[in-house]
């Protein structure tokens, strides 16, 4: 045993341990110092310290070494070294089981979190067990929760935030409450979000933002009361971007509470600091529209339109309504059309279409869009509304035919519509009556009687229906109506009552009920202020006469003649003479006849009275005076009827006086000069008798041979004789007698060689007496007989009559036939002109346009017809929606206001300016119209009505009233019955209401 060496070794060991202990304490102290630097955020100095310590570390696997590596790495992370992520990855691979690894990862995740790189941070947080972090656990969980929130992992974020909140009063308590509220907000759980934002307001750091998000949550929950109560309180405290968002929410909340003024105020705050989206512009438009600022609303909406989407459709619809409020109907119409062509909102689509159709009708008179609406929306329930609306408009325009057509389509007539149907039917009947179409007026009056509640109008309809029945020889029907009216207390006080009594008397007279006629003419004459007293007295005398009350008749006839010795009452004198004769008072008869023949040489009854006077002298045996009468008659050869009768009388007087040569001369003159008269056979017989008395039969036979009268007249000759007689009456314009003669001829020879010409003459005679419907019947017969010299004229007249009475479809068909039959020339032009008008008034506008173009290619048109064609072309373009093309023509035509087409075109241009809301242009154009000094003052007056309307629309009621009043004071209707004054009076009445 060598104790000395052992002691040395032990001492050495003890000394060594003591040395190492001293060194270890110092190293650890330095580590703690470095950590202190790290914890104080002095990362660069700490990094240097940890690097030196690592250099002194003896083993890279020692615990100290790993810890030093971890801290140096965390310093690099906090110093935002570019390779920090790679260093952490390498550290993880090198020391996967290191107790420092969770802290390193947490440090990197926190650093990324602080940089806002939440996605990258989240990847790292998922690898960390926060329980190993001890003091940093809460912070780690909070940041992990936040990253999940940012990534949309709301359930994970919710769970973590709830854990932190459950931990109680920690530095992350209110943060977690706030952000949990935000999680719920982001997840659209606004009720929960509001609860947590409300709690977060207890912390001053979160109070403002929590209040903001609490308000937004309530907004999303549609708690608009909360928004308008709390939003304004925090508005001024927010940053500008949040102020903008909050003002938008407050605006919408106020809007939902129907507090539109406040909504608009906050929207303007929003708009002043924001680039408005299409949705914003749309919302601003709605607010402006609802506050009555239509121009501003229109501007907002016009920033939205143009896109084919739902908001674009809605914007077009509301912009159109705003434009209507600004009186710009044309632009509104176009926007409604666009909205109606989009299908995003079917309710908007339908209503836009309805408004487009309504404006198309109001502005362009285009009925087709209403028809299209009804076809597209058969279940809309607006059919009756549409038809009633259009009918009322047509009624105001006096287009009664169109009004009736539409009103009769209405399934359930309202009181107003029934009254309108009553009125339209009555006034259409009056139009037909005025044109002489009594037959066509009857069903119109029947309709008027069956609808409406206007008793006065019903009485008038009955009154005129009786007149139509009378004109169509339906006397019994007329009597029934007039007797009913005569018993009506309301009708008895009307101004038409005396006329009804007069008409009733006439009906009885025409029905040959002369006792009743006498009674009613007497009743009429018992009244006061009678318009037809003279005629009624004469008809009363006629009634006496027809009942063989000759004395009463004679006295009344004579009294009427003496009361007014004019050519108008020659009939009375003549009838007085006849009545006196039938009363065996020959002297009085002669006296009256002499008065007639002395003073009334131009009267149609002159020849008849002179002949009757001559016959009376014959009966009295005064042949000289009789001869004077008959000589006077043969001097008026133009009246063939009494020419031949006077010759036969003179022949007979001379034969009776045995002045045979003179008698022969008169007989021969009759036979030679009036071969087709009724007296020819009597003249032949008288001539034969004289020649036989004188034993000169050969001369008689020779004369007959010379006159080709040897044989008895054939049926053809008789037909020719009758036709020639009737033709003479027609050619002499004695239409009343011509009608009777032609009708008798056609009754006897309906299919004879002269029947076509007779039908044509009959049609012309009826037309001349304004018996249009009967004339049309006869023209149609001529047309059905085929090609003839009269065909084109018959076609034209038949078409014209149907056009005049409003039967445009048939008129158009006949004008087409006329074009084919005419070939070229005047009749072709007449055919195209009539076809153009018929198409236009039958609302066949495209066909009207085509026809005007064809007409324009024909040479020889008058300037007036050219202007008419241009006008119809423009109006047709307008009604099919080709407004720009129409206005171009109207503008050109309005430069010349010397005809009615130019004057109306000027008015249409003024109306167009009004329809576009350009009131300044209206005024300028009207004064330009005045300067053109047109004679068609009706259209000038209508233009001033438009000027008054512009003042009304601008709210200048005083100026509007003055304008309307000036029209009433200064305008006189040319025909005494246009609609200008009534339109002005209606406007003034509305102003007073």
């Amino acid at each position: 045993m060598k104790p000395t060496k052992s002691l040395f070794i032990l001492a050495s060991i003890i000394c060594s341990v003591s040395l190492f202990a001293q060194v270890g304490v110092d190293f650890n102290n330095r580590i703690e110092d470095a950590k202190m630097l790290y914890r104080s955020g002095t990362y660069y100095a700490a990094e240097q310290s940890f690097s030196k310590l690592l250099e002194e570390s003896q083993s890279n696997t020692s615990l100290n070494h790993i810890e030093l590596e971890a801290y140096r790495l965390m310093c690099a992370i906090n110093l935002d070294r570019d390779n920090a992520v790679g260093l952490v990855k390498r550290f993880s691979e090198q020391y996967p089981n290191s107790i420092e690894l969770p802290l390193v990862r947490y440090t990197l995740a926190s650093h990324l979190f602080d940089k806002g790189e939440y996605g990258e941070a989240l990847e790292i947080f998922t690898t960390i067990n926060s329980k190993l972090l001890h003091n940093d656990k809460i912070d780690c969980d909070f940041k992990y929760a936040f990253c999940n929130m940012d990534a949309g992992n709301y359930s994970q974020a919710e769970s973590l935030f709830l854990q932190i909140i459950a931990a109680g009063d920690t530095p992350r308590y209110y943060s977690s409450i706030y952000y949990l509220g935000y999680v719920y907000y982001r997840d659209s759980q606004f009720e929960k979000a509001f609860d947590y934002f409300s709690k977060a307001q207890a912390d001053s750091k979160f109070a403002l933002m929590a209040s903001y998000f609490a308000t937004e949550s309530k907004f999303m929950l549609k708690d608009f009361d909360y928004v308008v109560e709390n939003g304004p309180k925090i508005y001024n405290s927010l940053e500008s971007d949040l102020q903008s968002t909050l003002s938008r929410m407050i605006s919408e909340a106020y809007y939902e509470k129907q507090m539109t003024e406040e909504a608009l105020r906050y929207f303007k705050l929003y708009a002043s600091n924001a680039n408005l989206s299409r949705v914003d512009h749309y919302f601003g438009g709605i607010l402006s529209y609802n506050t009555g600022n239509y121009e501003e609303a229109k501007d907002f909406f016009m920033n939205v339109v143009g896109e084919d989407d739902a908001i674009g459709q809605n914007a077009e619809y509301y912009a159109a309504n705003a434009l209507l409020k600004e009186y710009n109907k044309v632009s509104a119409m176009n926007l409604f059309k666009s909205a109606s062509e989009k299908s995003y909102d079917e309710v908007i689509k339908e209503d836009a279409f309805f408004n487009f159709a309504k404006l198309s009708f109001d502005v362009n008179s285009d009925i087709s869009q209403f028809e299209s609406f009804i076809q597209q929306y058969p279940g809309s329930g607006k059919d009756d509304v549409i038809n009633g609306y259009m009918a009322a408009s047509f009624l105001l325009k006096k287009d009664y035919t169109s009004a009736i057509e539409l009103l009769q389509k209405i399934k359930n007539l309202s009181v107003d519509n029934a009254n309108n149907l009553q009125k339209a039917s009555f006034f259409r009947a009056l139009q037909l009556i005025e044109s002489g179409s009594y037959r066509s007026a009857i069903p119109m009056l029947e309709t008027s009687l069956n609808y409406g509640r206007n008793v006065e109008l019903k009485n008038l309809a009955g009154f005129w229906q009786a007149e139509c029945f009378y004109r169509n020889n339906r006397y019994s029907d007329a009597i029934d109506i007039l007797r009913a009216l005569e018993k009506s207390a309301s009708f008895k006080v009307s101004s038409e009552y005396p006329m009804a009594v007069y008409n009733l008397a006439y009906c009885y007279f025409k029905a040959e009920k002369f006792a009743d006629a006498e009674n009613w003419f007497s009743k009429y004459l018992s009244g006061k202020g009678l318009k037809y007293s003279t005629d009624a007295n004469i008809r009363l005398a006629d009634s006496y006469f027809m009942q063989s009350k000759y004395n009463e008749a004679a006295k009344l006839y004579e009294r009427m003649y003496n009361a007014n010795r004019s050519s108008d009452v020659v009939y009375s004198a003549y009838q007085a003479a006849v009545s006196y004769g039938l009363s065996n008072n020959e002297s009085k008869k002669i006296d009256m006849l002499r008065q007639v023949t002395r003073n009334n040489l131009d009267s149609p009854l002159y020849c008849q009275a002179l002949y009757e006077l001559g016959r009376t002298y014959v009966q009295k045996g005064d042949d000289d005076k009789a001869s004077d009468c008959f000589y006077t008659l043969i001097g008026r050869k133009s009246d063939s009827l009494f020419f031949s009768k006077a010759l036969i009388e003179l022949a007979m007087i001379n034969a009776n006086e045995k002045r045979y040569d003179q008698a022969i001369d008169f007989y021969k003159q009759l036979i030679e000069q009036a071969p087709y008269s009724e007296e020819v056979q009597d003249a032949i017989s008288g001539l034969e008798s004289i020649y036989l008395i004188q034993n000169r039969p050969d001369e008689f036979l020779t004369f007959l041979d010379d006159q080709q009268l040897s044989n008895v007249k054939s049926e053809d000759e008789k037909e020719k004789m009758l036709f020639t007689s009737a033709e003479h009456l027609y050619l002499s314009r004695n239409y009343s007698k011509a009608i009777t003669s032609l009708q008798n001829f056609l009754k006897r020879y309906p299919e004879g060689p002269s029947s076509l010409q007779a039908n044509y003459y009959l049609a012309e005679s009826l037309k001349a007496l304004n018996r249009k419907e009967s004339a049309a019947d006869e023209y149609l017969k001529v047309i059905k007989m085929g090609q003839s010299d009269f065909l084109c004229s018959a076609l034209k007249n038949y078409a014209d009559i149907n056009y005049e009475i409003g039967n445009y479809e048939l008129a158009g068909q006949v004008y087409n036939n006329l074009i084919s039959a005419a070939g070229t020339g005047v009749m072709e032009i007449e055919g195209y002109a009539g076809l153009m008008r018929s198409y236009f008034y039958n609302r066949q506008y495209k066909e009207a346009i085509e026809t005007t173009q064809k007409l324009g290619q024909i040479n020889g048109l008058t300037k007036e017809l050219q202007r008419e064609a241009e006008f119809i072309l423009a109006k047709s373009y307008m009604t099919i929606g080709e407004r720009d093309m129409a206005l171009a023509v109207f503008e050109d035509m309005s430069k010349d206001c010397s005809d009615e087409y130019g004057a109306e075109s000027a008015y249409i241009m003024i109306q167009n300016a009004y329809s576009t809301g350009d009131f300044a242009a209206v005024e300028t154009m009207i004064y330009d119209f005045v300067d053109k000094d047109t004679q068609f003052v009706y259209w000038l007056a209508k233009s001033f009505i438009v000027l008054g309307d512009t003042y009304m629309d601008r709210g200048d009621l005083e100026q509007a009233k003055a304008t309307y009043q000036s029209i009433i004071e200064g305008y006189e209707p040319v025909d005494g019955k246009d609609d200008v004054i009534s339109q002005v009076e209606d406007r003034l009445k509305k102003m007073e209401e």
Side-chain angles (χ1 to χ4, degrees):
M1 180 175 188
K2 295 180 179 180
T4 304
K5 186 177 181 180
S6 298
L7 288 172
F8 174 78
I9 293 170
L10 178 61
S12 296
I13 291 171
I14 292 170
C15 184
S16 175
V17 170
S18 175
L19 178 62
F20 280 121
Q22 185 177 355
V23 171
V25 170
D26 181 57
F27 191 79
N28 288 332
N29 286 337
R30 289 171 61 199
I31 290 174
E32 288 302 321
D33 289 341
K35 286 182 179 180
M36 288 294 293
L37 289 172
Y38 175 82
R39 292 189 188 102
S40 67
T42 313
Y43 299 119
Y44 183 77
E47 181 185 38
Q48 295 299 314
S49 297
F50 286 126
S51 293
K52 288 181 181 179
L53 289 168
L54 278 169
E55 289 175 4
E56 296 174 15
S57 174
Q58 296 180 354
S59 173
N60 61 3
T61 59
S62 69
L63 293 178
N64 281 341
H65 185 86
I66 295 172
E67 181 182 20
L68 292 172
E69 285 277 10
Y71 272 100
R72 186 175 67 172
L73 178 53
M74 289 189 290
C75 286
I77 292 169
N78 285 303
L79 288 169
D80 199 21
R81 302 292 188 202
D82 291 340
N83 64 341
V85 174
L87 293 172
V88 171
K89 181 179 180 183
R90 189 176 68 180
F91 183 86
S92 300
E93 291 171 351
Q94 232 176 339
Y95 311 112
N97 299 314
S98 167
I99 60 173
E100 284 83 6
L101 182 58
L103 183 61
V104 170
R105 286 175 173 168
Y106 165 70
T107 302
L108 177 60
S110 293
H111 181 67
L112 292 170
F113 179 91
D114 292 339
K115 290 173 64 178
E117 297 177 11
Y118 303 121
E120 293 83 348
L122 177 61
E123 291 182 15
I124 299 172
F125 277 126
T126 57
T127 66
I128 300 172
N129 183 351
S130 64
K131 293 179 180 178
L132 300 176
L133 296 176
H134 305 295
N135 293 336
D136 292 318
K137 179 182 184 303
I138 295 295
D139 193 62
C140 179
D141 287 342
F142 173 80
K143 291 176 180 177
Y144 185 25
F146 190 98
C147 290
N148 273 294
M149 176 188 73
D150 182 71
N153 302 325
Y154 299 130
S155 60
Q156 293 94 321
E158 176 189 15
S159 176
L160 289 165
F161 282 134
L162 284 172
Q163 290 177 28
I164 297 169
I165 293 167
D169 187 14
T170 66
R172 293 295 188 178
Y173 177 75
Y174 279 107
S175 297
S176 296
I177 290 175
Y178 174 77
Y179 284 112
L180 180 57
Y182 193 72
V183 166
Y184 289 134
Y185 169 84
R186 290 276 298 271
D187 198 30
S188 300
Q189 299 185 56
F190 300 112
E191 196 69 60
K192 289 183 177 180
F194 174 75
D195 290 341
Y196 280 92
F197 284 133
S198 296
K199 293 175 182 176
Q201 291 179 48
D203 189 318
S204 60
K205 289 189 300 181
F206 298 105
L208 180 59
M209 291 305 299
S211 296
Y212 169 79
F213 280 113
T215 302
E216 188 167 352
S217 296
K218 282 295 188 180
F219 175 80
M220 301 304 293
L221 290 167
K222 302 187 183 303
D223 187 348
F224 302 118
D225 288 329
Y226 183 93
V227 175
V228 299
E229 181 180 351
N230 293 278
K233 295 177 182 178
I234 61 172
Y235 176 80
N236 291 324
S237 302
L238 294 171
E239 297 293 329
S240 61
D241 57 336
L242 289 179
Q243 279 186 335
S244 178
T245 305
L246 181 60
S247 60
R248 181 69 166 79
M249 285 190 291
I250 295 172
S251 173
E252 193 166 337
Y254 273 125
Y255 174 74
E256 292 292 340
K257 287 176 61 61
Q258 299 182 355
M259 300 171 71
T260 317
E261 294 288 349
E262 292 85 347
L264 183 59
R265 180 163 61 87
Y266 273 92
F267 180 80
K268 288 182 176 179
L269 287 173
Y270 165 72
S272 66
N273 295 310
N275 292 321
L276 300 185
S277 67
R278 289 178 71 235
V279 173
D280 292 332
H281 278 293
Y282 176 76
F283 183 61
I286 291 292
L287 293 176
S288 297
Y289 183 89
N290 287 341
T291 53
N293 193 339
Y294 302 114
E295 185 174 1
E296 185 177 76
K298 179 256 299 180
D299 291 340
F300 274 123
F301 288 130
M302 294 307 290
N303 283 294
V304 184
V305 302
E307 297 291 332
D308 188 4
D309 55 18
I311 191 173
Q313 181 188 29
N314 277 264
E316 287 170 341
Y317 175 78
Y318 282 107
N321 277 295
L323 284 162
L324 273 184
K325 299 291 187 180
E326 292 292 304
Y327 309 105
N328 190 340
K329 292 182 179 180
V330 175
S331 297
M333 176 180 66
N334 294 330
L335 282 170
F336 278 131
K337 181 178 185 294
S338 182
S340 73
E341 293 169 346
K342 297 178 174 64
S343 301
Y344 300 100
D345 187 322
E346 288 297 329
V347 175
I348 291 289
K349 177 184 175 72
E350 179 178 337
D351 198 56
F353 194 168
F354 178 75
N355 280 286
F356 165 61
K358 182 174 176 291
L359 286 172
S360 295
F361 179 73
D362 289 345
V363 174
N364 298 335
S365 298
D366 180 7
I367 194 175
S368 66
Q369 300 305 329
F370 271 138
E371 293 170 345
S372 298
F373 178 85
I374 292 172
Q375 289 176 0
Q376 187 166 333
Y377 298 101
S380 69
K382 291 180 178 175
D383 297 28
D384 288 355
V385 174
I386 289 171
N387 289 323
Y389 178 81
M390 287 193 293
S393 177
F394 281 127
L395 191 58
L396 287 173
K397 296 175 183 176
K398 297 186 178 180
D399 184 353
Y400 303 119
T401 301
S402 297
I404 293 165
E405 178 185 339
L406 291 163
L407 288 166
Q408 288 180 329
K409 289 181 180 179
I410 297 176
K411 297 173 184 176
N412 300 303
L413 280 174
S414 65
V415 172
D416 285 344
N417 284 333
N419 288 336
N420 282 342
L421 180 54
Q422 179 189 24
K423 188 184 301 182
S425 301
F426 176 76
F427 286 114
R428 175 56 183 154
L430 290 189
Q431 287 179 336
L432 291 166
I433 290 168
E434 188 174 353
S435 71
S437 304
Y438 296 97
R439 188 193 312 163
S440 300
I442 292 172
M444 292 292 99
L445 292 165
E446 188 69 32
T447 301
S448 185
L449 286 164
N450 290 335
Y451 292 93
R453 298 180 179 179
N454 189 321
V455 175
E456 182 180 356
L457 206 56
K458 282 186 183 294
N459 288 338
L460 286 173
F463 173 80
W464 283 107
Q465 190 178 43
E467 176 72 15
C468 293
F469 282 144
Y470 171 83
R471 298 280 183 160
N472 281 276
N473 303 326
R474 294 171 60 179
Y475 306 120
S476 179
D477 291 331
I479 288 168
D480 289 343
I481 292 173
L482 291 169
R483 288 300 300 268
L485 283 173
E486 198 274 332
K487 295 175 183 177
S488 168
S490 61
F491 185 69
K492 280 187 175 181
V493 297
S494 70
S495 58
E496 287 78 19
Y497 176 74
M499 192 67 188
V501 174
Y502 172 75
N503 289 349
L504 181 56
Y506 245 111
C507 288
Y508 278 123
F509 185 83
K510 287 289 187 178
E512 299 184 1
K513 297 181 178 181
F514 300 112
D516 289 319
E518 175 190 341
N519 175 48
W520 286 100
F521 278 125
S522 297
K523 186 168 184 176
Y524 173 76
L525 290 166
S526 66
K528 296 179 180 179
L530 304 177
K531 186 176 181 180
Y532 301 105
S533 60
T534 299
D535 183 73
N537 273 296
I538 294 172
R539 296 290 85 80
L540 177 58
D542 287 340
S543 300
Y544 290 145
F545 183 88
M546 298 305 296
Q547 295 177 80
S548 302
K549 298 179 179 180
Y550 301 122
N551 283 325
E552 294 94 325
K555 291 176 182 177
L556 185 52
Y557 282 134
E558 184 178 10
R559 179 161 61 85
M560 295 314 300
Y561 176 67
N562 289 331
N564 183 16
R565 293 199 176 198
S566 68
S567 59
D568 294 337
V569 290
V570 170
Y571 170 82
S572 298
Y574 177 78
Q575 282 296 107
V578 174
S579 299
Y580 279 126
L582 292 170
S583 301
N584 298 316
N585 190 342
E586 293 297 327
S587 62
K588 193 67 174 174
K589 176 181 180 181
I590 291 171
D591 179 57
M592 294 302 301
L593 288 172
R594 289 179 67 183
Q595 291 186 53
V596 173
T597 56
R598 185 183 305 121
N599 303 316
N600 302 282
L601 299 181
D602 296 326
S603 170
L605 285 173
Y606 171 76
C607 290
Q608 186 173 343
L610 190 59
Y611 175 74
E612 186 67 30
L613 180 58
R615 287 290 302 146
T616 304
Y617 282 134
V618 168
Q619 290 168 5
K620 286 190 68 176
D622 194 340
D623 291 341
D624 290 340
K625 289 183 178 178
S627 296
D628 289 342
C629 293
F630 297 134
Y631 274 119
T632 303
L633 282 173
I634 64 172
R636 297 170 65 94
K637 190 176 178 181
S638 60
D639 195 323
S640 61
L641 177 65
F642 291 101
F643 172 77
S644 57
K645 288 182 180 295
L647 284 171
I648 201 76
E649 291 291 340
L650 285 169
M652 290 172 64
I653 289 172
N654 281 281
N656 290 335
E657 293 294 326
K658 297 184 172 48
R659 295 192 293 269
Y660 296 120
D661 288 343
Q662 292 93 323
I664 288 171
D665 288 341
F666 284 123
Y667 281 134
K668 285 185 177 181
Q669 186 180 354
L670 171 58
I671 294 168
E672 290 170 349
Q673 297 184 23
Y676 299 110
S677 67
E678 295 177 357
E679 288 75 22
V680 166
Q681 289 300 322
D682 291 336
I684 293 172
S685 298
L687 187 61
E688 180 182 12
S689 176
I690 293 174
Y691 274 125
L692 288 175
I693 291 171
Q694 293 186 330
N695 198 23
R696 298 159 61 190
D698 292 341
E699 292 183 40
F700 173 68
L701 293 174
T702 299
F703 176 76
L704 291 181
D705 287 339
D706 292 342
Q707 301 298 315
Q708 297 181 350
L709 296 172
S710 299
N711 299 319
V712 177
K713 286 187 179 292
S714 67
E715 193 63 32
D716 288 345
E717 290 173 318
K718 292 178 182 177
E719 179 184 345
K720 184 177 181 182
M721 179 183 70
L722 289 173
F723 175 73
T724 303
S725 176
E727 183 181 41
H728 178 78
L729 291 169
Y730 165 72
L731 294 174
S732 64
R733 298 183 180 181
N734 192 344
Y735 297 119
S736 295
K737 289 184 177 180
I739 290 169
T740 302
S741 183
L742 289 164
Q743 287 174 334
N744 289 335
F745 171 79
L746 287 167
K747 186 176 182 181
R748 187 168 180 178
Y749 303 105
E751 297 180 357
S754 298
S755 60
L756 185 148
Q757 194 169 355
N759 277 121
Y760 180 77
Y761 286 162
L762 179 56
E764 290 283 286
S765 299
L766 289 164
K767 178 187 172 189
L769 295 180
N770 203 33
R771 294 169 61 181
K772 293 183 179 179
E773 289 168 319
S774 297
D777 295 340
E778 299 305 321
Y779 284 126
L780 184 58
K781 291 176 184 177
V782 175
I783 293 167
K784 288 181 177 179
M785 290 179 188
Q787 188 62 46
S788 71
D789 292 340
F790 303 103
L791 178 59
C792 285
S793 181
L795 284 166
K796 180 184 181 304
N797 284 302
Y798 184 63
D800 285 348
I801 290 172
N802 278 284
Y803 173 82
E804 288 167 12
I805 65 176
N807 194 351
Y808 302 120
E809 185 172 359
L810 178 56
Q813 293 171 6
V814 181
Y815 283 126
N816 251 323
N817 293 336
L818 174 59
I819 293 167
S820 300
T824 58
V826 174
M827 279 298 183
E828 180 193 26
I829 293 174
E830 292 285 353
Y832 274 114
L835 182 62
M836 170 187 70
R837 298 174 188 125
S838 298
Y839 278 143
F840 178 73
Y841 286 107
N842 202 40
R843 298 197 292 270
Q844 294 175 265
Y845 302 113
K846 292 182 180 178
E847 291 84 353
I849 291 170
E850 292 173 3
T851 308
T852 60
Q853 293 167 344
K854 290 178 182 177
L855 184 62
Q857 296 171 2
I858 301 174
N859 294 325
L861 301 186
T862 64
K863 180 182 178 181
E864 182 181 2
L865 184 54
Q866 288 176 340
R867 294 273 288 175
E868 180 186 3
E870 289 174 5
F871 186 76
I872 286 178
L873 177 68
K875 280 225 164 183
S876 299
Y877 275 138
M878 185 72 85
T879 52
I880 63 171
E882 297 290 349
R883 189 172 185 83
D884 292 340
M885 297 180 72
L887 291 174
V889 180
F890 283 133
E891 184 176 13
D892 185 60
M893 294 195 74
S894 68
K895 295 173 184 176
D896 178 7
C897 292
S898 61
D899 61 17
E900 189 162 11
Y901 303 118
E904 186 174 354
S905 295
Y907 165 74
I908 289 170
M909 294 303 297
I910 290 166
Q911 183 68 47
N912 174 67
Y914 174 74
S915 296
T916 58
D918 192 349
F919 296 158
V922 169
E923 194 163 351
T924 301
M925 293 168 74
I926 285 175
Y927 291 117
D928 180 58
F929 191 8
V930 171
D931 291 341
K932 290 177 180 176
D933 196 26
T934 182
Q935 62 177 317
F936 297 97
V937 294
Y938 171 78
W939 295 111
L940 191 58
K942 293 272 283 186
S943 298
F944 272 96
I945 292 177
V946 176
L947 180 61
D949 292 345
T950 66
Y951 289 129
M952 277 287 289
D953 293 341
R954 286 180 281 186
D956 191 346
L957 302 185
E958 184 177 349
Q959 189 64 46
K961 186 174 183 179
T963 304
Y964 294 143
Q965 197 63 46
S966 69
I967 298 171
I968 290 178
E969 294 170 359
Y971 177 72
E972 291 186 10
V974 175
D975 59 2
K977 55 179 180 179
D978 64 43
D979 60 346
V980 168
I981 299 300
S982 63
Q983 286 191 18
V984 174
E985 288 175 342
D986 287 344
R987 284 165 168 78
L988 288 171
K989 184 178 179 180
K990 287 180 181 177
M991 289 181 72
E992 292 173 0
E993 293 173 353

